Amino acid sequence: MSGVEVYVPILLNFVDNQLVYTDEQLVVLRGRVLGVENGIEETRLTESNAGRESLGRFRHRLSTLPHKPGLQTIELYYYHHRVILRYQFDQVPEADERQVRSFVLEHSGEFVQDRVIKVINELAVAGNAGVVTMYYSYVIALIENTPNFESNIENLLGSHTFRIGDISDSLWKAGRTHIVRISIPSLNLYYNERVGYFLRMNLINSVYQHMLYAKKDADAAQLAMLTSFSASAESQMNSMREEQLHNFWNFSVDALGGRSVDTENSRLQSKSFTISVWAMLISAMALALSVISILVS
């Protein structure tokens, strides 16, 4: 039995990707998304845990929880293009970890569509916001697994698994070590000592920076290319962009031994090689003649 804490970072995609809310729009949006009428309660944190247990100065909780054994709280953080859901489970059997993830994926998808995107798009009709077309999300699960901590690193080939360090909050204690397993559905972090606040925030920011925004940008580029193609109704050259060239360059250096060459030096090297080959052939012929003359004599 172990406790499971799950974060779901969500990135909203708008029709206008350059959309930036005004302060007034943001106040309206936050009031509607984080309002009691939307099933969200707001609780101010105490000074002792402010900034440590929450993603902001306030804790926003769902008023009513869906039926799921072990589920204690669901919290919500919202700002601009980002939505983060935090699920807290208590005493989850190890065999139910996948079921917890499946539940979180289903619930977070329904929640962000019904209580966030729907609200924003209703306000967009009234001219108070932009229109959300889709969203991107990923799952980060922090799993307390003291009895079987080391066993989580045995399957090294099944997924990307490694150890990660966590700085201690105390000068008198050594840093903590956790085990991370990354797969397509989720990032699982197994721990037998508390996971630090800054490590949690760094994991969330890394997911945004290197997964969600990257996928959003790639989809936007692909959509632009397909739109351009369908508009012209004729085949077009798909020119390589600079980042593709850089990627290929790095691959050629790392894997193929490629490197910059000077044309003139290449010609000189080629001539030197030709001269060397002829010199070897002449030496071989001279050696053969010497052997023949010795045998004849």
Side-chain angles (χ1 to χ4, degrees), residues 281-293:
L281 290 174
I282 293 171
S283 298
M285 292 174 62
L287 178 61
L289 290 174
S290 298
V291 172
I292 293 173
S293 62

Side-chain angles (χ1 to χ4, degrees), residues 15-33:
V15 171
D16 180 6
N17 282 328
Q18 303 301 317
L19 172 71
V20 177
Y21 293 138
T22 64
D23 291 340
E24 293 76 14
Q25 288 175 327
L26 198 54
V27 167
V28 173
L29 283 168
R30 287 177 61 83
R32 286 289 301 275
V33 173

Side-chain angles (χ1 to χ4, degrees), residues 5 28 54 121 155 169 180 186 189 236 252 287:
E5 180 181 3
V28 173
S54 175
N121 287 348
N155 184 17
D169 296 331
V180 172
S186 67
L189 186 148
Q236 301 176 2
S252 67
L287 178 61

Side-chain angles (χ1 to χ4, degrees), residues 134-146:
M134 67 178 69
Y135 69 93
Y136 302 88
S137 68
Y138 191 63
V139 172
I140 302 173
L142 310 182
I143 302 169
E144 184 182 7
N145 203 267
T146 305

Side-chain angles (χ1 to χ4, degrees), residues 2 13 19 45 52-54 69 77 86 90 108 114 120 132 138 161 187 193 210 252 267:
S2 61
N13 184 74
L19 172 71
L45 298 175
R52 289 292 176 175
E53 300 300 327
S54 175
Y77 173 84
R86 176 178 180 261
D90 183 36
S108 63
D114 294 341
I120 292 175
V132 179
Y138 191 63
T161 306
L187 180 154
E193 292 185 86
H210 300 289
S252 67
R267 292 196 189 98

Side-chain angles (χ1 to χ4, degrees), residues 58-70:
F58 295 87
R59 176 179 284 130
H60 305 277
R61 290 178 173 172
L62 268 66
S63 304
T64 8
L65 296 178
H67 176 69
K68 182 65 180 176

